[in-house]
Amino acid sequence: MISEPVAAAVQYGLGQGATHGDARDTVAVVVDVGGTGTDVTVVAANGGLLVEAGHQHTGKVSGDTMDAVLMKHFAAEFQKQHGIDVLAQGASRAVRKLQQAVEVTKRTLSAAPTAPCAVESLAEGLDYNGTIARTRFDILAGKTYAPALEAIEAAVREAGYGLAQVDQVLLCGGAARVRRLQTSIAGLFPESTLVRDDAGELDEIVASGCAAQAALIAQGAVEATSAAAIEAAVLARPVGLRLAADSLAPVLLQNTPLPASRTVKVALPAGETRAYLAISEGEPVPPKEANDQDDDDEAEEEEEQEEEDPARYRPTKLLAEMVLALDAADSATRVHVQFYVDVGGKLTVTASEPV
């Protein structure tokens, strides 16, 4: 009834607690590192509704590829000790026994700095006992993580976001326990992006999310509807208030399910008797491009500003301009600006000064 990425988002509580006053707009990337591949899905949560905005898959990073790294390492150690190449025997009993052992080793490494690998009668009646440090495993396996990082970047790009616009990264799948992989994923995003693995056992996240959704259906809180039947219209581009020629304050983000309504409060300089508002479509500013626009002598200052407010947008198309006449503004004056987009994509903006 719900897709696996949405089930993971439900288990992590994405979008829960949304109200009319606080829509809890959140952009999350669900990274599911399973036994045979990695699936990356961008999920936008707006007003409690979850929408899949982009997806990428790679079979080059998985639990199996990490197991293969450990098997190669321990097989080489065994060959040094006894002169027997276990992996050269193909799909033999020895290979299967080693594979089962390294799965335990890999799981242990996610929680401990070192882990043993013990196999009774690995080959020709010879036992094997070895250990590997997490640092050594990170060096060996770290070279294989690049395709997963590329899939994350591609999924975010497909969804129409920049990495700086991602609020959370939600990890699931047993192989996502590997600390070096988590660190590599976190390195793609600014420090403000939260990388999470706190919703339970990672290989049970999807099942737990499905159970949570089933509970809501049983309680009558939601209808039992096939995921394929839910085709919500979404906003194609962010819409907001133009602050300057190269700066936009987004009010409704792209991929927001329609109809949608948001209200923002705009402060005015003291003594102002008119409020000028410019409503524009926009797009995310890629961090590299934003840095290229900085002057050399202001590079450090601009970088600090980027760190404080990494999710920058710029206007691309002016939709409307409006002027609201009001009494002389003071420090407490706030103009309420409501954005409403219907299912057909028609935008209505209303500005008012509360009495």
Side-chain angles (χ1 to χ4, degrees):
M1 294 183 180
I2 56 175
S3 65
E4 291 188 6
V6 170
V10 168
Q11 179 62 13
Y12 273 99
L14 194 69
Q16 291 184 10
T19 63
H20 180 72
D22 182 7
R24 299 284 178 95
D25 292 338
T26 307
V27 178
V29 176
V30 178
V31 182
D32 186 350
V33 190
T36 59
T38 297
D39 286 281
V40 180
T41 308
V42 178
V43 178
N46 306 95
L49 298 178
L50 305 181
V51 175
E52 293 182 34
H55 175 79
Q56 293 288 322
H57 171 82
T58 177
K60 296 180 180 180
V61 181
S62 65
D64 288 348
T65 60
M66 298 176 196
D67 290 347
V69 168
L70 287 171
M71 289 177 67
K72 185 177 179 180
H73 170 77
F74 289 124
E77 292 292 317
F78 187 77
Q79 186 173 10
K80 280 183 184 179
Q81 296 172 11
H82 304 291
I84 302 173
D85 187 356
V86 175
L87 297 182
Q89 300 178 25
S92 65
R93 183 180 178 185
V95 172
R96 291 195 296 272
K97 292 172 73 172
L98 182 59
Q99 185 173 16
Q100 292 173 353
V102 300
E103 287 179 0
V104 177
T105 302
K106 179 183 65 181
R107 189 182 184 104
T108 304
L109 284 172
S110 66
T114 61
C117 179
V119 185
E120 184 178 351
S121 186
L122 178 58
E124 299 182 13
L126 298 170
D127 297 341
Y128 175 72
N129 288 281
T131 60
I132 186 171
R134 182 193 294 167
T135 304
R136 178 62 176 163
F137 173 63
D138 287 342
I139 293 172
L140 296 173
K143 304 171 185 177
T144 68
Y145 299 154
L149 305 182
E150 292 169 359
I152 292 172
E153 292 177 322
V156 172
R157 191 165 52 246
E158 176 188 333
Y161 298 104
L163 294 173
Q165 279 74 47
V166 175
D167 301 299
Q168 298 183 24
V169 177
L170 311 179
L171 300 176
C172 58
R177 294 188 187 93
V178 176
R179 296 300 178 188
R180 175 64 181 273
L181 178 58
Q182 293 185 5
T183 302
S184 298
I185 292 172
L188 288 175
F189 300 92
E191 292 184 4
S192 58
T193 300
L194 185 62
V195 179
R196 300 181 59 188
D197 64 351
D198 57 349
E201 287 292 330
L202 294 185
D203 50 1
E204 299 173 0
I205 294 292
V206 171
S208 299
C210 290
Q213 182 72 2
L216 292 174
I217 293 172
Q219 295 164 7
V222 297
E223 295 182 2
T225 307
S226 168
I230 303 175
E231 292 286 342
V234 297
L235 195 63
R237 298 177 185 84
V239 176
L241 296 173
R242 188 181 68 180
L243 304 179
D246 61 350
S247 180
L248 178 80
V251 176
L252 287 167
L253 299 176
Q254 67 262 47
N255 299 312
T256 298
L258 301 179
S261 176
R262 300 287 187 277
T263 299
V264 294
K265 298 177 182 179
V266 179
L268 299 173
E272 191 70 43
T273 59
R274 296 195 313 163
Y276 168 77
L277 304 171
I279 295 88
S280 296
E281 285 185 346
E283 65 181 5
V285 178
K288 289 183 180 179
E289 183 176 331
N291 289 339
D292 290 343
Q293 295 173 355
D294 297 338
D295 294 330
D296 292 339
D297 58 341
E298 298 180 354
E300 288 188 13
E301 181 181 348
E302 289 295 315
E303 283 180 13
E304 290 178 1
Q305 291 177 0
E306 285 294 322
E307 290 178 1
E308 293 174 1
D309 185 17
R312 289 181 55 186
Y313 289 81
R314 62 187 173 196
T316 56
K317 181 181 180 182
L318 181 65
L319 301 178
E321 294 176 291
M322 57 195 306
V323 175
L324 175 66
L326 40 83
D327 297 330
D330 56 31
S331 60
T333 301
R334 297 291 185 272
V335 173
H336 289 202
V337 185
Q338 182 186 48
F339 286 66
Y340 174 76
V341 182
D342 64 17
V343 176
K346 180 182 177 181
L347 170 66
T348 302
V349 180
T350 305
S352 61
E353 180 187 10
V355 178

